[in-house]
Amino acid sequence: MSGASRHYVLAAGGTGGHLIPAFALAVELERRGHHVALVTDERGAKIPGKPDFMPAHVLPAGRLAKSPVALLKGLSAIWQGRAMALRLFESFEPSCVIGFGGYPALPALLAAHSAKIPTVIHEQNAVLGRVNRFLAKRVDAIATAYGEVDRLDPKLWGKVHRVGNPVRPEVLALRGEPFPEFTEDSLFRVLVTGGSQGASVLSEVVPDGLAMLPPALRHRLQVTQQCRPEDLEAVRARYASHEIPAELGTYFEDMQSRLAGTHLFIGRAGASTIAELTAVGRPAILVPLPIATDDHQAANTREMVSAGGARAIRQTGFTPKELAKQVQAMAQHPHTLANAAHAAWNCGLPNAVSDLADLVESFGGEPIMDVIRVDTRSAAPAGQEQLA
């Protein structure tokens, strides 16, 4: 292949956490004139948001389980997927194969390695995932979202590029907007979400915790909360009993417009959530999912908490009283909340998708200048810098 237009294969596991950054990269690469194909599993092919221009190839994806029978079954599926990926590469001729983690990415990356096609992996979390850990020594470059990544062999730091997590354009557009006005008299808008399915612990704790706030804060509350369908009516009754205005739903289509007006976020610490909070500059109280693999959600909170943009509460200690204490500490004065918003904003990496695309384009074409190892975040106050 010659010229500016090249072919790239993106391989990602069947969850939104793996596929959202893959979709964002696909849009950017297509905008730059390249052709992009997706490799995933059956579950991943059904995740909403896939760009129409990108064909999806479903490959078998086995898991490496401990049971001998399950292990053999998993290895067989991986080998079958690898063979199918090699056939795809023969016709599509990718310049590079980019993996976003998850077992469905494994066969494609193994096939690329054997075919001597350049490979890049992107790690969304602050802990290197199992598949990326397995591939790390074999790939040409490792793109990370955090400056500190657990389970990453220090010997491999020479090929690490910190780019961040790609964020949806409609959310990124909010980065240049000021933090919503928050005074002693204004509404106090709180957004509560628990990931794609909501989280029952948030439904149980948050209404009672917010009810324990001092009257000066409690009487100004305006809550938006995502709940599981089975929790909806019980949560509505709790807010009604506390006389706190709350809009509840199982899914909000216009999450970016709700985030735009939010003063404080309460929820899980998934990679996409933190990327959006830091892109926009919204302070948060984060409750890491305790069953997350390698406790990666707790690791995801470190940078934002250290900067002063968030507070983290382990689920075992997430009680109404503790929540009320932390909310009051962040919001008792208008300037404390604004300062936390500014600290969160400073953690954002708004150029993640273009930096990742630059890295990917450096394989299979003309060499480009490696400018993305340098941390280029601006320290300008939130709302005072427009994106170029």
Side-chain angles (χ1 to χ4, degrees):
M1 287 178 294
S2 60
S5 180
R6 300 196 288 276
H7 291 189
Y8 295 100
V9 169
L10 312 187
T15 66
H18 296 304
L19 283 161
I20 288 170
F23 294 161
L25 177 62
V27 170
E28 178 64 15
L29 289 173
E30 198 266 348
R31 188 188 69 78
R32 296 184 184 196
H34 303 305
H35 301 283
V36 190
L38 174 70
V39 166
T40 186
D41 61 1
E42 290 182 3
R43 186 172 56 147
K46 296 172 185 171
I47 296 278
K50 184 182 77 64
D52 292 339
F53 61 79
M54 180 168 63
H57 301 268
V58 175
L59 302 187
R63 299 180 71 88
L64 299 176
K66 289 182 180 178
S67 147
V69 174
L71 178 61
L72 281 173
K73 187 178 177 183
L75 288 171
S76 173
I78 291 168
W79 193 254
Q80 186 185 351
R82 177 182 173 276
M84 291 172 68
L86 282 169
R87 289 197 292 275
L88 169 65
F89 298 163
E90 283 177 9
S91 58
F92 193 67
E93 296 183 352
S95 293
C96 183
V97 176
I98 304 96
F100 289 85
Y103 281 102
L106 185 55
L109 271 292
L110 290 175
H113 180 69
S114 70
K116 295 184 170 49
I117 298 168
T119 51
V120 175
I121 53 174
H122 180 270
E123 178 54 61
Q124 298 88 50
N125 294 298
V127 181
L128 201 63
R130 289 177 182 175
V131 167
N132 281 347
R133 213 148 64 218
F134 178 76
L135 293 165
K137 289 181 180 177
R138 298 171 169 83
V139 299
D140 295 282
I142 301 167
T144 68
Y146 295 91
E148 182 183 349
V149 182
D150 297 348
R151 310 295 291 271
L152 175 57
D153 186 342
K155 295 173 188 169
L156 302 177
W157 273 104
K159 57 182 176 182
V160 169
H161 305 252
R162 187 184 182 194
V163 300
N165 264 326
V167 170
R168 292 173 295 156
E170 58 269 28
V171 172
L172 196 57
L174 301 173
R175 185 167 174 82
E177 300 295 322
F179 184 63
E181 185 180 28
F182 185 67
T183 67
E184 301 284 358
D185 305 313
S186 63
L187 284 175
F188 178 24
R189 295 191 184 88
V190 176
L191 175 63
V192 187
T193 75
S196 58
Q197 297 298 314
S200 290
V201 69
L202 297 171
S203 296
E204 292 162 10
V205 172
V206 175
D208 294 347
L210 295 178
M212 295 172 74
L213 289 172
L217 270 180
R218 188 177 76 246
H219 293 156
R220 296 155 52 202
L221 279 167
Q222 178 67 59
V223 179
T224 300
Q225 182 160 348
Q226 178 206 24
C227 308
R228 290 176 183 269
E230 61 268 26
D231 296 333
L232 210 55
E233 291 312 313
V235 177
R236 187 170 280 123
R238 280 191 181 186
Y239 277 119
S241 70
H242 296 313
E243 299 183 339
I244 295 174
E247 182 183 359
L248 309 178
T250 56
Y251 179 74
F252 295 112
E253 290 273 354
D254 57 338
M255 191 59 83
Q256 64 272 12
S257 64
R258 294 170 190 278
L259 192 58
T262 293
H263 294 113
L264 179 67
F265 171 88
I266 302 172
R268 294 300 196 196
S272 295
T273 297
I274 300 234
E276 294 194 350
L277 291 172
T278 56
V280 177
R282 292 297 180 270
I285 291 174
L286 302 168
V287 187
L289 178 68
I291 59 170
T293 308
D294 296 321
D295 203 19
H296 68 253
Q297 285 205 4
N300 290 351
T301 68
R302 284 187 308 227
E303 184 177 71
M304 202 175 167
V305 169
S306 176
R311 291 171 179 240
I313 306 174
R314 286 285 190 176
Q315 187 161 310
T316 50
F318 185 57
T319 63
K321 184 177 180 181
E322 181 61 23
L323 176 62
K325 174 184 162 187
Q326 298 296 347
V327 171
Q328 189 179 353
M330 293 187 83
Q332 59 184 333
H333 303 296
H335 72 269
T336 54
L337 205 58
N339 288 346
H342 175 55
W345 189 91
N346 274 339
C347 290
L349 293 172
N351 300 321
V353 72
S354 59
D355 285 349
L356 181 57
D358 286 348
L359 174 62
V360 165
E361 276 190 326
S362 70
F363 295 99
E366 292 298 315
I368 61 166
M369 227 164 107
D370 185 2
V371 295
I372 62 176
R373 287 177 190 270
V374 180
D375 192 340
T376 56
R377 289 174 293 173
S378 167
Q384 292 186 17
E385 177 184 278
Q386 297 289 339
L387 289 179

